[in-house]
């Protein structure tokens, strides 16, 4: 981890320096610590789908701050992010969370899976699997899975790799901190195949649906 940071930090800073003249206004508000985040989460805060680095742009500020505290105190157990979050002070966490919450999400969804996987993914996301006690994802994450308020983060704009990894993390207890254990409960009821199908379907959704086209449960 230490070695990684020493290599990446100067690189990230050099990139920032090079971009200085052309940077969008939002960079002016970037806290200095964000320079060590862009190697994985991107200058646009949209992460890296193939690597499973999540989107941070436009996530609720309180949710982002909570997650950084969880990585630091082990509530959320991830070697990479624990190493990143532990050295951050409380004001740095607040500044980073505020910065990423304000970044506008961008980018294209992943290709839609075909056949039975797509049908099953859509069923779980929009209607759930009541026989097995799995509520529809959109019941909590909102129409279009664009997120609701401070507690229910958006799922659109996250990659299938990341979504799948999170469900597995709740199952095996390496991710905790979810209010009332809501996601732990949902995750325990999902099979691995269901997890993969719904993750791939969600990753193929557009970033934001207009109110009128929002999916109905
Ligand atoms: C070396 C790559 C790497 C770097 C650098 C990095 N992250 Fe991460 N980040 C990850 C990975 C991987 C995850 C997913 C961890 C998991 O599965 O629990 C993650 C997850 C997160 C999450 C949780 C997002 C969510 O939707 O729950 C936040 C918040 C976050 N990172 C913030 C930061 C910030 C702020 C920085 C800079 C101080 C940073 N990260 C630097 C790889 C990185
Ligand atoms: C009963 C409400 C509820 C339902 C139903 C629900 N979720 Fe969640 N979900 C939550 C909450 C609350 C969080 C935030 C957890 C936290 O703050 O740690 C969350 C977070 C997540 C995250 C983490 C996002 C991130 O950025 O790290 C993923 C992935 C996720 N849910 C997937 C799903 C999927 C897939 C479904 C449908 C199969 C689903 N959820 C159904 C309440 C729910």
């Amino acid at each position: 981890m230490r070695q990684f940071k020493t290599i990446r930090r100067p690189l990230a800073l050099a990139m920032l320096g090079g971009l200085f003249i052309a940077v969008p206004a939002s960079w002016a508000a970037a806290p200095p610590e964000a320079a060590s985040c862009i190697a994985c989460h991107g200058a646009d805060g949209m992460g890296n789908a193939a690597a499973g680095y999540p989107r941070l742009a436009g996530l609720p500020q309180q949710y982002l701050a909570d997650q950084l505290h969880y990585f630091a105190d082990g509530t959320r157990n991830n070697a990479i992010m624990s190493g990143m979050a532990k050295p951050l002070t409380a004001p740095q966490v607040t500044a980073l969370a505020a910065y990423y919450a304000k970044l506008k999400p961008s980018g294209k969804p992943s290709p839609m899976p075909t056949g039975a996987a797509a049908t099953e993914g859509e069923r779980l996301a929009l209607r759930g699997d009541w026989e097995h006690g799995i509520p529809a994802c959109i019941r909590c994450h909102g129409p279009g899975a664009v997120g609701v308020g401070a507690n229910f983060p958006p799922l659109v704009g996250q990659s299938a790799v990341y979504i799948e990894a999170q469900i597995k993390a709740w199952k095996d207890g390496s991710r905790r901190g979810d209010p009332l254990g809501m996601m732990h409960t949902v995750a325990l009821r999902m099979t691995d195949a269901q997890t993969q199908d719904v993750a791939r379907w969600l990753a193929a959704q557009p970033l934001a649906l207009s109110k009128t086209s929002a999916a109905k449960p």
Side-chain angles (χ1 to χ4, degrees):
M1 202 56 232
R2 189 169 295 268
Q3 196 189 6
F4 183 87
K5 262 198 274 180
T6 34
I7 297 168
R8 289 296 175 147
R9 235 180 225 162
L11 177 74
L13 286 170
M15 279 169 68
L16 266 180
L19 287 171
F20 194 69
I21 294 165
V23 285
S26 60
W27 269 111
E33 299 73 31
S36 60
C37 317
I38 63 173
C40 295
H41 294 286
D44 57 2
M46 288 307 289
N48 178 322
Y53 302 151
R55 155 193 174 186
L56 304 180
L59 263 50
Q61 179 175 341
Q62 187 59 50
Y63 171 82
L64 287 168
D66 286 348
Q67 304 310 308
L68 287 169
H69 290 303
Y70 293 158
F71 286 125
D73 71 14
T75 302
R76 207 171 153 177
N77 193 350
N78 178 269
I80 299 176
M81 275 311 300
S82 300
M84 292 305 305
K86 270 187 189 139
L88 297 173
T89 63
Q92 285 173 333
V93 166
T94 306
L96 284 163
Y99 171 66
Y100 281 111
K102 278 200 207 90
L103 273 191
K104 205 173 142 50
S106 56
K108 288 204 180 74
S110 305
M112 180 57 89
T114 50
T119 316
E120 175 66 352
E122 179 176 275
R123 180 176 80 102
L124 287 165
L126 305 185
R127 293 184 293 283
D129 175 357
W130 283 105
E131 216 176 296
H132 298 103
I134 305 167
C137 313
I138 60 164
R139 278 180 69 111
C140 290
H141 291 277
V146 296
V148 179
N151 289 317
F152 302 100
L155 302 178
V156 288
Q158 297 296 11
S159 66
V161 176
Y162 177 72
I163 295 173
E164 210 181 323
Q166 300 316 300
I167 305 280
K168 289 194 170 147
W170 273 303
K171 262 192 190 170
D172 70 21
S174 57
R175 178 168 177 177
R176 289 169 293 128
D178 48 322
L180 308 172
M182 281 188 256
M183 279 310 300
H184 180 64
T185 308
V186 173
L188 283 180
R189 294 170 180 172
M190 290 172 70
T191 66
D192 288 352
Q194 284 180 319
T195 303
Q196 194 176 49
D197 291 346
V198 77
R200 288 177 62 198
W201 190 86
L202 286 165
Q205 299 310 304
L207 267 177
L209 293 173
S210 73
K211 282 208 175 78
T212 46
S213 67
K216 294 201 177 64

